[in-house]
Amino acid sequence: MAAFQPSLECDNISNIHSEQTDSDLIQKTDERYRETLPNLPKGKGWITEHLVQYQGFWLTPNAALKNLMWVQDHFKPRPTDIFLASFPKSGTTWLKALIFATVNRTRYGFADHPLLTTGPHDCFPFLDAHFQEKDRSRFDLDRFPSPRLLSIHIPYILLPNSMTDHQSCRFVYICRDPKDVLVSKWLFLNKLRPKDLPPISLEEAFELFCQGISHYGPFWDHVLGYWEGSLETPEKILFLKYEDLKKEPLVVVKRLGDFLGYPFSLEEESKGVVEEIVKLCSFENLSTLEVNKVSEQKFSKDTIIDNRHFFRKGKVGDWKTYLTTEMVERLDEITYEKLLGSGLVFGS
Ligand code: PAP
């Protein structure tokens, strides 16, 4: 399915790169990838044979590493770009829907809203997946109208300067209690694990997660990168927690509107627009829509995921169903130590 685009009109900006320079750059990035890959430390993979450690973070060798290099070498941000950044399984799908609905709220009515028939991941594509595509026309970034809504799992410190400098685009970062992230991730990735491989046990997943060996991990380094970035440039990075969004969705969505430059007017508030957005994007609503129950999401030619897998329980604290007391103590201790002095805390 093609990425949903609100309008075919594009900004009056020149193409990102000419065909000539495009092929030179592609070759350079391919070379960089081929030279780098064999020298990287390897760790056990959750759905691939192994992950590789690149500049401190664990990535899938064929997809995430390649995509990261593509973003570093080729991506040209626009000052109006809006990025949703997250560690996987932290609330990406939910935030995609909320940002899309907030930014486009004057464009669509709630009765026939695109999110009722198009999955959040198609409304708000992954930048990281874009570059993996042989057929880039699926996500023709040049033709996206502004503001482009793009999602990333890339750690903050690995982003190119063009994305992180103070002049340009904005980031919304969503994080979540690592215990819920671990459980959500373990259940999700076991569904994607090739059928000929035995499932990963919770004990093994737990060990890997604690060692930081998980997609875009270590979890704590990922979170801290954006946390520190948000302290340095709060006008550029809005740091949100899944748990706060669950507790006070109206407050957080209003903050989101302010931060993104789409503040809700008093009239909109009195008409209940914020409530409508929260309802539209709620787990209860999105998870029961046909598009999110039966369609699949094609991230790349090798990565096709049923949309329903992005909606499991959508609860805070489901880790209690799965983790032993020892696991909880160890994970909480690691989290405490890693975040010590940062000012960032997760509820237990
Ligand atoms: P991704 O990184 O693969 O895109 P992501 O969307 O970040 O996944 O996380 C999925 C989690 O968000 C799931 O959590 P669970 O396994 O603990 O249930 C999923 O259920 C939850 N989720 C998805 N949509 C919503 C929503 N609208 N409201 C609340 N939680 C949601």
Side-chain angles (χ1 to χ4, degrees):
M1 188 189 287
F4 183 86
Q5 291 182 43
S7 143
L8 285 178
E9 226 174 277
C10 44
D11 272 14
N12 188 20
I13 59 163
S14 56
N15 276 354
I16 287 179
H17 29 245
S18 69
E19 275 177 30
Q20 171 74 47
T21 51
D22 203 21
S23 70
D24 292 348
L25 287 170
I26 288 169
Q27 213 179 332
K28 267 193 165 174
T29 305
D30 283 350
E31 273 166 27
R32 180 157 88 92
Y33 172 75
R34 276 199 304 273
E35 279 166 17
T36 309
L37 184 62
N39 304 316
L40 299 178
K42 286 181 186 169
K44 186 176 164 60
W46 295 53
I47 49 171
T48 49
E49 195 187 345
H50 54 255
L51 295 174
V52 290
Q53 192 182 35
Y54 179 68
Q55 296 182 354
F57 288 90
W58 291 94
L59 307 169
T60 53
N62 287 330
L65 176 63
K66 216 180 246 180
N67 292 330
L68 167 66
M69 289 186 172
W70 272 96
V71 171
Q72 289 177 335
D73 293 356
H74 300 268
F75 179 62
K76 301 280 185 295
R78 294 181 196 161
T80 49
D81 285 343
I82 293 173
F83 295 101
L84 167 60
S86 58
F87 188 84
K89 312 323 288 179
S90 299
T92 322
T93 312
W94 191 11
L95 253 294
K96 282 187 176 192
L98 285 170
I99 295 174
F100 181 86
T102 299
V103 167
N104 291 302
R105 68 182 181 271
T106 55
R107 203 187 285 261
Y108 307 116
F110 289 105
D112 55 356
H113 200 279
L115 278 166
L116 297 173
T117 49
T118 309
H121 290 283
D122 268 322
C123 292
F124 201 132
F126 271 105
L127 176 64
D128 326 26
H130 165 76
F131 289 106
Q132 203 185 353
E133 286 301 316
K134 288 261 183 320
D135 172 15
R136 304 233 162 80
S137 59
R138 268 184 77 234
F139 290 154
D140 188 351
L141 293 178
D142 294 351
R143 289 188 57 76
F144 271 35
S146 291
R148 292 185 299 189
L149 306 181
L150 297 167
S151 170
I152 50 170
H153 286 320
I154 299 175
Y156 190 64
I157 58 159
L158 298 191
L159 290 171
N161 289 343
S162 56
M163 287 173 79
T164 54
D165 74 34
H166 296 203
Q167 305 305 318
S168 61
C169 35
R170 289 172 205 210
F171 292 81
V172 177
Y173 185 76
I174 178 83
C175 74
R176 189 181 189 187
D177 185 322
K179 300 191 288 300
D180 276 331
V181 170
L182 163 65
V183 167
S184 180
K185 186 181 167 66
W186 170 63
L187 293 166
F188 177 77
L189 291 184
N190 262 339
K191 286 177 198 144
L192 305 192
R193 204 164 148 81
K195 296 277 173 284
D196 50 330
L197 296 177
I200 289 212
S201 68
L202 179 57
E203 289 69 25
E204 192 172 7
F206 177 81
E207 274 309 320
L208 290 169
F209 191 85
C210 287
Q211 290 167 34
I213 305 175
S214 74
H215 303 80
Y216 300 94
F219 167 87
W220 303 272
D221 300 24
H222 198 286
V223 172
L224 279 174
Y226 282 94
W227 171 250
E228 282 157 11
S230 76
L231 297 179
E232 276 163 30
T233 52
E235 70 290 351
K236 191 174 167 65
I237 304 176
L238 178 66
F239 191 95
L240 299 177
K241 289 183 190 164
Y242 183 96
E243 294 76 17
D244 294 342
L245 194 48
K246 270 279 176 193
K247 205 156 127 197
E248 295 191 302
L250 299 177
V251 174
V252 177
V253 170
K254 277 192 250 172
R255 263 182 82 198
L256 196 58
D258 288 341
F259 173 78
L260 295 174
Y262 293 81
F264 291 90
S265 65
L266 287 177
E267 194 191 345
E268 283 180 308
E269 285 195 33
S270 65
K271 280 187 178 162
V273 174
V274 188
E275 281 86 348
E276 287 283 3
I277 290 177
V278 168
K279 205 166 100 192
L280 173 70
C281 303
S282 67
F283 182 87
E284 293 66 29
N285 185 48
L286 291 183
S287 63
T288 52
L289 296 174
E290 203 60 9
V291 64
N292 295 324
K293 286 201 296 191
V294 297
S295 310
E296 55 188 23
Q297 181 62 47
K298 187 177 181 215
F299 288 105
S300 72
K301 74 177 168 40
D302 301 322
T303 317
I304 299 172
I305 304 173
D306 288 349
N307 272 341
R308 68 194 157 91
H309 293 329
F310 293 103
F311 303 91
R312 192 183 62 89
K313 282 196 186 166
K315 292 213 158 69
V316 171
D318 192 42
W319 53 264
K320 290 177 191 141
T321 318
Y322 295 91
L323 303 183
T324 62
T325 311
E326 292 72 34
M327 285 173 165
V328 172
E329 280 173 8
R330 180 152 161 227
L331 206 42
D332 279 347
E333 199 179 309
I334 295 173
T335 302
Y336 175 79
E337 278 170 13
K338 296 263 190 185
L339 303 187
L340 194 63
S342 69
L344 176 62
V345 284
F346 288 102
S348 58

